[in-house]
């Protein structure tokens, strides 16, 4: 078991600092599970090696991730050289690329931004419905109205689904086939029984 230390400069280039044998964990890692996974991995690899032949770079076994496979060398006829990997990586100007990725992901707040967008769209819809029905927004009456409309729409779609789907007439679809009860029309409803199925892909 080895620990590998890296240094990253201001241009995001990576440099190997040192490699240490038998490192100390100091509570930073779950040492017990890591060693247990490593033991199971080595044992299974020796007993049933064929189970690992389909693994590719990035696949995981417990807490371990595959970063190199000798089978890859056999397929590509190119020997793996970690020095070349460093050279190829550091040859790219990653400063602009990292700034662009940071903007796209909003500094790891993409999920939060998406949740805010959903809340905003939901409130805009609620406001429109209440104004169309001349109900004060915001307020309890407005919330109740929207809940009632949503429930009625759900009941309508569920009823249409029950009418178009017969669980006793079950069969697997043919390649490219879409069952009528799986098709949602442009109006938001479900295609009635006997309608022609269409491939939505």
């Amino acid at each position: 078991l080895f620990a590998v230390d890296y240094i990253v400069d201001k241009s995001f280039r990576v440099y190997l600092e040192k490699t240490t044998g038998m490192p100390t964990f100091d509570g930073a890692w779950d040492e017990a599970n890591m060693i247990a996974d490593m033991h199971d991995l080595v044992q299974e690899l020796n007993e049933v090696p064929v189970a690992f032949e389909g693994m590719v770079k990035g696949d995981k076994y417990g807490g371990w991730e595959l970063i190199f496979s000798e089978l890859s060398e056999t397929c590509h006829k190119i020997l793996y050289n970690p020095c070349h990997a460093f050279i190829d990586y550091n040859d790219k100007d990653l400063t602009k690329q990292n700034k662009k990725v940071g903007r796209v992901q909003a500094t790891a707040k993409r999920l939060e931004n998406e949740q805010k967008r959903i809340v905003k769209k939901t409130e805009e819809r609620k406001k429109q419905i209440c104004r169309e029905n001349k109900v004060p927004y915001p307020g309890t009456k407005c919330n109740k109205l929207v809940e009632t409309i949503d429930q009625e729409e759900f009941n309508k779609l569920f009823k249409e689904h029950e009418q178009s789907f017969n669980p006793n007439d079950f069969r697997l679809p043919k390649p490219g086939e879409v069952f009528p009860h799986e098709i949602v029309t442009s109006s938001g409803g479900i295609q009635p029984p006997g309608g022609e199925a269409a491939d939505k892909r």
Side-chain angles (χ1 to χ4, degrees):
L1 187 61
F2 294 89
V4 183
D5 296 338
Y6 299 96
I7 296 176
V8 182
D9 66 16
K10 64 180 182 180
S11 298
F12 302 101
R13 293 185 175 88
V14 182
Y15 304 91
L16 175 62
E17 181 186 10
K18 64 180 179 180
T19 302
T20 308
M22 298 302 294
T24 55
F25 292 89
D26 297 328
W29 301 92
D30 188 349
E31 182 178 358
N33 284 333
M34 179 182 292
I35 294 177
D37 284 345
M38 181 176 66
H39 178 272
D40 294 343
L41 172 61
V42 173
Q43 182 175 354
E44 189 172 345
L45 183 60
N46 281 273
E47 293 179 351
V48 194
V50 69
F52 295 86
E53 291 180 358
M55 292 185 69
V56 295
K57 180 180 177 181
D59 287 348
K60 292 186 176 182
Y61 181 101
W64 295 88
E65 180 177 333
L66 181 65
I67 61 174
F68 165 71
S69 170
E70 289 85 353
L71 292 176
S72 178
E73 286 184 337
T74 305
C75 295
H76 299 293
K77 307 299 181 183
I78 300 175
L79 293 178
Y80 175 75
N81 188 329
C83 294
H84 284 301
F86 271 105
I87 293 172
D88 293 342
Y89 182 85
N90 289 337
D91 189 51
K92 303 172 184 177
D93 183 6
L94 299 175
T95 306
K96 294 181 180 179
Q97 183 176 347
N98 276 274
K99 288 181 178 178
K100 182 178 180 181
V101 171
R103 286 196 300 268
V104 171
Q105 295 184 342
T107 319
K109 290 186 177 179
R110 182 172 55 185
L111 180 59
E112 181 181 343
N113 291 338
E114 177 65 12
Q115 290 173 341
K116 289 180 179 178
R117 187 190 70 82
I118 293 173
V119 170
K120 182 179 179 181
K121 287 290 184 181
T122 302
E123 287 301 314
E124 288 176 354
R125 173 178 173 270
K126 184 186 295 184
K127 183 188 294 185
Q128 181 180 356
I129 291 174
C130 293
R131 286 182 174 176
E132 289 176 354
N133 289 273
K134 297 181 180 180
V135 176
Y137 170 87
T140 306
K141 290 184 178 180
C142 178
N143 294 339
K144 188 66 175 177
L145 173 64
V146 174
E147 289 176 4
T148 302
I149 292 175
D150 289 343
Q151 186 63 47
E152 289 176 351
E153 183 65 20
F154 172 80
N155 293 340
K156 176 184 175 184
L157 293 175
F158 187 80
K159 185 176 180 180
E160 292 176 353
H161 173 75
E162 282 189 317
Q163 292 173 347
S164 63
F165 178 63
N166 182 4
N168 297 320
D169 185 25
F170 176 78
R171 66 177 179 83
L172 293 174
K174 298 176 182 178
E177 179 184 9
V178 179
F179 290 137
H181 67 271
E182 298 174 325
I183 301 173
V184 178
T185 63
S186 58
S187 61
I190 298 175
Q191 183 168 296
E196 183 179 355
D199 191 345
K200 303 292 284 186
R201 292 178 295 176

